Amino acid sequence: MEKYQDANQPIAARVEDLLSRMNLEQKVAQLQCSMAMGDDPAQMLAPFANGIGEVVSMATQNTVEGVIAFNRKVVETIMQNPLGIPPILHVEAITGAGCPGATIFPSAIGLGATFAPDTVREMAEIIRKQMLTAGYRQALSPVMDVARDPRWGRVGETYGEDPTLNAMMSVAFTKGLQSDDLRNGAVVTGKHFLGYAVSDGGLNMASHPLTPREVREVYAKPFQAAITEGGLQSIMNSYGTIDNDMIIQSREILTKLLREEMRFEGVVVSDYMSIDRLVHHRLARDFREAGVKALKAGLDVECPFPHGYTDLLVQAVRAGEVEEALVDRSVRRVLETKFKLGLFENPYPFADLLEEAYREPSHRAHSLKAARQSIVLLKNDGILPLAKTARKIAVLGPHADSIRLLYGCYTYPAGIEMRLGGTLEEDMAGMDVDGAMANAMPSMGSKIEKPPAMLGSEIIKEAPVVTETIRAMYGDITPTILAAIKAKVPNAQMVYAEGCEVAGCDHSKFAEAIEVAKQADLVILTLGGKYGWGNSCTIGEGIDCDDIGLTGIQEEFAQEITAVGKPTVLLHLDARPLSSVWAQKNINAILECWYPGITGGEAIADVIFGDYNPAGRMPMTALRNSGQVPIYAGQKMGNSYYGKKAATLNKYAEGSLAPLYYFGEGKSYTSFDYSGLQVDKNVSTGGTVNISFTVKNIGKVDGDEVAQLYIKDEQSSMLRPYKEFAGAKRIFLKAGESRQIRFTLKPSQFAFLNQDMKWVVEAGDMAVLVGTSSEDIRLLGSFHIDNCAEIDAPSRGFYALTE
């Protein structure tokens, strides 16, 4: 047995032993990635006789058992390389493992709305088991981007606008998926480093207009928290540029900031086709130069196909254009990860976990818990909860009887649409795939159906084959909103009409829906978008919007329905918050439901009829219109709607500075009282501050409350947020019950970069604000930081700890 094959040897020794046995071609192979798809992966992986770093296994089998068998073939094929180095199979897993049979949770923006990191951690633990069972050992998740522009199509993949909330959720996901021992875990890949959600015009892949200070204080914070507190093992680059330097070639970002300042030690993988963009943007003459630039910057693995990290890189090393030591540096990181995962001992799917991972009822129950917790009650004039008495209910709108529209992007159902709807084939056509791999790709032409009917602009109707396939796979386990409501009130007379599409200007279904509304006692109206890939969606990757309101003619449809005069409940399902001033003024009750996942219909019905008291909170400020971009709770003194509280001339000639709904906002079917705030009066920069108060449910209904903590720096040398979200605690209280909540935080949580770009904590007074949202503050207090000090940024506080 060679040293690298001996599990009893230290990982560092195993890495060095294996590296010493590798020739340059074998080393470069560990920096490569390839897709594997079709019935037999061997043909597509044939070019990788020297092994491979990672594989994108895109198994098209309709059962997890089929995926297990496929992934085993992938591993067996790659393991034939001379040194027997196993591959890492990666998959998307932001709200569930991307394979059939896996539990699907709410979209990330909905998870952000839970304000419950424990829920996210338990979700990630379930995802981990299901990934391992199928053979996936790396998740290209979660999205740690701080998203403050609802025009951007990927906002629903994020946890929202606040760096502290993102840090809380990112750490929870990382700990849950990686576990305490990577041999029984999966590598988490935080993305997209860095500033991806901040782009010119809200457009995907555009430049990031950020300053070095903002990059570090705001946008790097969730990544740093996951590195420091979660042991984050992998990071993916952003497609964009900062200060005109594309991140894929930026040593400033990928090495100086990420590794030297933030002390990240794991593997950096490229977002798909990132090296290609260096050529397309005329930053490199060809793929050889592009590969050299990326390697020097700090990129380790090129995904999803090798274009720069090929024989071209081998040639560049031998020509003296780049040192082999840089190749070795990246190979060490890849090999170390594989040893940590225990792949040299067991590279195959954990098929023995199948029953535990995929048949356990508690997994579905946790999905229901997360979906319930994600729902935000934005408005209620007293109509909710609905009584379960017999009546005639009109259930209207495009989302009411759709399974697909309960799911967001980067879920298996969205992937089905990408494959069967033609998007995947179109994407492949633009990937400049090498000949051998292109020939091995399966033809999907016989399965693809592209309906000619246009909904509006470039948006087309969902292909019937997509609808039928998703209903066949998920119909028995995913009740639609309509079906869930029928199950909740079986004696009520339920009438359904679609009324309109998610996009377009087809008014032909209005008349039927209006007539149905006239005959009903009340109306449940479902509106929103469609989240995914391709031109049948209204939001998603590469699907950005200059209008953040309801798409198509949905607002007009809502106006026609409410004109009938019946009490109306609006269910909004989208990846961005509702931005409709008209709806806020004219609808009786509004629930923000996001894309709630496999149990979404049940969760919504539970909330509507009072079997669950909603307590979701807005993870992102809801704007009145796109002209308010950017507006968020953590804005600096004198900016946006905080301007009314300071000496400033900030205002719009027409329109309001205030948002439609505030960060942290959300109503309940009960009421809560806050009292007894106690705060430590003085603290040193290296100490901790203890904050406590009591919350009491003073209503008649049991329910959750989300107590939120905000801090305001009363005097600082640099411009700071008017108030800064510091942490939250979600608790359950029975009617009449009270509970003391305790927060502990470090003053270093509020460190910032001074004029010399040094991380400092300044002496002075800090205001403590406790409330139910960023705007509804119930208790006020303060503490004093006694001394100034420079601090070690990676080990600073990131969010308040709670008991």
Side-chain angles (χ1 to χ4, degrees):
M1 179 186 295
E2 306 296 349
K3 182 182 287 187
Y4 77 88
Q5 296 170 326
D6 185 356
N8 295 317
Q9 293 291 325
I11 286 178
R14 298 178 76 184
V15 168
E16 292 307 316
D17 179 66
L18 180 52
L19 187 63
S20 70
R21 300 171 187 273
M22 299 170 71
N23 60 37
L24 182 57
E25 286 80 5
Q26 290 169 330
K27 292 176 182 178
V28 170
Q30 290 303 306
L31 311 185
Q32 296 176 341
C33 177
S34 177
M35 288 185 178
M37 60 180 70
D39 295 326
D40 184 0
Q43 185 181 3
M44 199 166 183
L45 296 174
F48 300 96
N50 284 317
I52 198 168
E54 300 188 11
V55 175
V56 189
S57 173
M58 300 189 69
T60 56
Q61 287 72 15
N62 289 332
T63 65
V64 65
E65 290 86 353
V67 173
I68 290 171
F70 181 87
N71 285 346
R72 187 174 185 89
K73 288 181 181 178
V74 170
V75 174
E76 288 172 345
T77 300
I78 295 299
M79 289 287 287
Q80 295 174 26
N81 70 81
L83 293 169
I85 303 175
I88 297 175
L89 276 60
H90 73 229
V91 70
E92 298 286 351
I94 189 169
T95 57
C99 60
T103 309
I104 303 175
F105 297 87
S107 291
I109 192 76
L111 294 172
T114 68
F115 278 66
D118 289 347
T119 296
V120 171
R121 180 166 181 167
E122 186 174 343
M123 175 198 75
E125 290 170 351
I126 293 169
I127 294 172
R128 169 170 52 84
K129 292 178 182 178
Q130 295 181 345
M131 283 180 58
L132 266 61
T133 300
Y136 297 108
R137 301 303 301 275
Q138 180 176 7
L140 300 189
S141 309
V143 174
M144 298 181 182
D145 298 309
V146 175
R148 292 172 167 176
D149 189 341
R151 297 174 300 176
W152 186 54
R154 301 189 72 173
V155 64
E157 295 171 50
T158 77
Y159 297 124
E161 72 175 41
D162 189 85
T164 299
L165 179 61
N166 274 267
M168 292 162 58
M169 299 303 187
S170 296
V171 170
F173 188 99
T174 302
K175 288 182 174 180
L177 199 77
Q178 291 189 168
S179 79
D180 296 330
D181 184 349
L182 267 182
R183 290 174 296 181
N184 297 309
V187 166
V188 169
T189 305
K191 61 185 189 183
H192 306 82
F193 199 79
L194 192 60
Y196 185 40
V198 186
S199 60
D200 282 351
L203 293 170
N204 193 43
M205 301 185 179
S207 297
H208 310 322
L210 295 170
T211 67
R213 182 172 280 104
E214 286 178 297
V215 162
R216 288 161 172 80
E217 291 181 352
V218 177
Y219 297 95
K221 180 175 179 176
F223 294 90
Q224 183 70 79
I227 293 166
T228 300
E229 299 196 356
L232 182 67
Q233 293 293 306
S234 179
I235 275 179
M236 176 183 283
N237 68 281
S238 164
Y239 283 120
T241 64
I242 293 178
D243 196 21
N244 295 329
D245 192 13
M246 189 169 283
I247 291 169
I248 192 67
Q249 70 163 14
S250 176
R251 189 179 183 281
E252 184 71 25
I253 297 296
L254 296 183
T255 296
K256 284 190 64 179
L257 173 59
L258 179 60
R259 297 197 182 275
E260 296 174 12
E261 292 184 38
M262 298 174 67
R263 298 203 284 271
F264 175 68
E265 297 179 350
V267 174
V268 175
V269 302
S270 78
D271 205 345
Y272 288 10
M273 316 304 291
S274 290
I275 284 182
D276 298 50
R277 289 172 60 80
L278 287 173
V279 178
H280 297 160
H281 284 62
R282 300 180 298 187
L283 295 171
R285 290 183 295 273
D286 51 33
F287 284 126
R288 177 164 162 169
E289 183 181 7
V292 169
K293 284 191 169 190
L295 184 68
K296 288 181 176 180
L299 177 73
D300 297 316
V301 178
E302 180 185 10
C303 301
F305 295 111
H307 289 162
Y309 286 10
T310 62
D311 287 344
L312 296 174
L313 184 56
V314 173
Q315 294 165 16
V317 171
R318 289 179 173 151
E321 297 168 20
V322 61
E323 296 177 2
E324 187 171 352
L326 292 183
V327 175
D328 291 349
R329 180 185 66 180
S330 289
V331 174
R332 281 190 180 92
R333 294 167 183 161
V334 173
L335 295 178
E336 181 179 355
T337 301
K338 292 183 176 184
F339 282 120
K340 285 180 179 179
L341 287 167
L343 294 180
F344 284 80
E345 288 68 57
N346 180 17
Y348 300 108
F350 288 31
D352 58 322
L353 294 179
L354 182 61
E355 289 298 316
E356 175 187 346
Y358 283 85
R359 314 283 189 252
E360 172 55 54
S362 64
H363 295 170
R364 181 182 177 85
H366 190 67
S367 175
L368 179 60
K369 175 183 178 179
R372 286 169 163 175
Q373 289 185 337
S374 73
I375 296 171
V376 185
L377 179 60
L378 292 176
K379 182 182 179 182
N380 186 20
D381 67 359
I383 187 176
L384 292 179
L386 300 177
K388 296 178 185 176
T389 54
R391 65 176 85 185
K392 190 169 185 179
I393 302 174
V395 184
L396 310 176
H399 298 71
D401 198 33
S402 171
I403 294 175
R404 170 65 182 87
L405 294 180
L406 290 171
Y407 295 112
C409 195
Y410 284 101
T411 60
Y412 196 76
I416 290 172
E417 181 171 28
M418 180 175 68
R419 291 194 299 272
L420 299 185
T423 303
L424 179 60
E425 189 170 75
E426 293 167 5
D427 289 347
M428 291 296 186
M431 279 191 175
D432 298 327
V433 180
D434 292 343
M437 286 178 276
N439 293 333
M441 285 183 184
S443 172
M444 295 173 286
S446 61
K447 300 179 182 178
I448 294 170
E449 183 174 342
K450 296 183 182 178
M454 303 296 291
L455 295 180
S457 62
E458 298 181 355
I459 300 173
I460 64 173
K461 285 180 176 288
E462 184 177 287
V465 68
V466 172
T467 306
E468 293 163 7
T469 302
I470 291 175
R471 189 168 289 275
M473 288 187 68
Y474 290 92
D476 292 339
I477 57 175
T478 305
T480 65
I481 296 170
L482 176 64
I485 292 173
K486 285 181 177 179
K488 188 69 66 175
V489 283
N491 296 324
Q493 184 178 355
M494 206 76 57
V495 187
Y496 161 71
E498 184 179 24
C500 69
E501 305 275 2
V502 293
C505 53
D506 181 5
H507 293 72
S508 64
K509 302 175 184 178
F510 272 29
E512 178 192 7
I514 291 170
E515 188 58 32
V516 166
K518 287 179 179 179
Q519 301 302 317
D521 297 317
L522 65 91
V523 173
I524 296 175
L525 182 60
T526 67
L527 300 175
K530 183 179 182 183
Y531 190 22
W533 296 279
N535 54 5
S536 69
C537 296
T538 63
I539 188 169
E541 186 170 4
I543 309 172
D544 311 306
C545 255
D546 61 346
D547 184 345
I548 59 174
L550 290 165
T551 52
I553 53 173
Q554 291 186 76
E555 186 152 315
E556 181 184 350
F557 174 57
Q559 292 171 357
E560 293 285 345
I561 294 301
T562 55
V564 172
K566 299 300 173 69
T568 302
V569 177
L570 171 59
L571 308 178
H572 183 244
L573 289 87
D574 213 330
R576 60 171 63 94
L578 176 68
S579 290
S580 171
V581 175
W582 178 88
Q584 196 275 337
K585 290 181 178 179
N586 294 281
I587 301 288
N588 299 93
I590 301 173
L591 287 166
E592 187 67 81
C593 303
W594 317 105
Y595 291 99
I598 200 167
T599 57
E602 299 163 71
I604 290 169
D606 286 345
V607 169
I608 290 174
F609 290 96
D611 290 332
Y612 185 81
N613 188 351
R617 298 293 184 260
M618 292 297 286
M620 187 174 186
T621 304
L623 281 59
R624 296 174 179 271
N625 53 64
S626 58
Q628 289 186 313
V629 174
I631 183 173
Y632 50 91
Q635 285 188 293
K636 306 295 193 298
M637 280 290 299
N639 292 349
S640 191
Y641 60 94
Y642 291 129
K644 66 184 181 182
K645 301 171 183 177
T648 177
L649 295 177
N650 287 4
K651 65 178 181 178
Y652 293 119
E654 296 182 1
S656 172
L657 285 175
L660 193 60
Y661 302 106
Y662 294 91
F663 173 81
E665 183 173 351
K667 300 183 184 301
S668 171
Y669 296 154
T670 190
S671 300
F672 298 91
D673 178 69
Y674 286 66
S675 63
L677 177 64
Q678 296 182 352
V679 184
D680 290 346
K681 293 304 180 183
N682 292 82
V683 63
S684 66
T685 55
T688 57
V689 179
N690 296 295
I691 299 169
S692 64
F693 52 91
T694 299
V695 179
K696 182 176 182 179
N697 183 343
I698 59 174
K700 299 180 180 180
V701 181
D702 300 347
D704 286 3
E705 171 66 332
V706 179
Q708 299 166 44
L709 175 65
Y710 296 84
I711 301 294
K712 179 165 60 175
D713 194 336
E714 298 284 29
Q715 189 76 43
S716 58
S717 61
M718 303 294 291
L719 196 63
R720 302 297 299 143
Y722 182 81
K723 59 175 172 273
E724 184 175 350
F725 175 68
K729 179 66 174 179
R730 183 169 183 144
I731 58 170
F732 173 78
L733 293 174
K734 293 182 178 181
E737 183 183 5
S738 62
R739 177 176 166 183
Q740 187 177 60
I741 295 177
R742 297 181 178 88
F743 287 105
T744 301
L745 54 81
K746 299 177 181 179
S748 62
Q749 182 177 333
F750 309 102
F752 57 89
L753 289 159
N754 64 12
Q755 289 180 321
D756 297 323
M757 291 298 286
K758 303 290 187 183
W759 282 96
V760 297
V761 175
E762 290 186 338
D765 293 329
M766 307 290 283
V768 175
L769 303 90
V770 175
T772 65
S773 76
S774 60
E775 188 69 7
D776 184 5
I777 301 301
R778 304 292 183 85
L779 300 172
L780 296 172
S782 66
F783 63 90
H784 184 84
I785 300 174
D786 293 334
N787 61 307
C788 298
E790 289 189 19
I791 60 108
D792 178 56
S795 59
R796 69 188 188 274
F798 299 105
Y799 45 82
L801 302 179
T802 63
E803 297 180 14

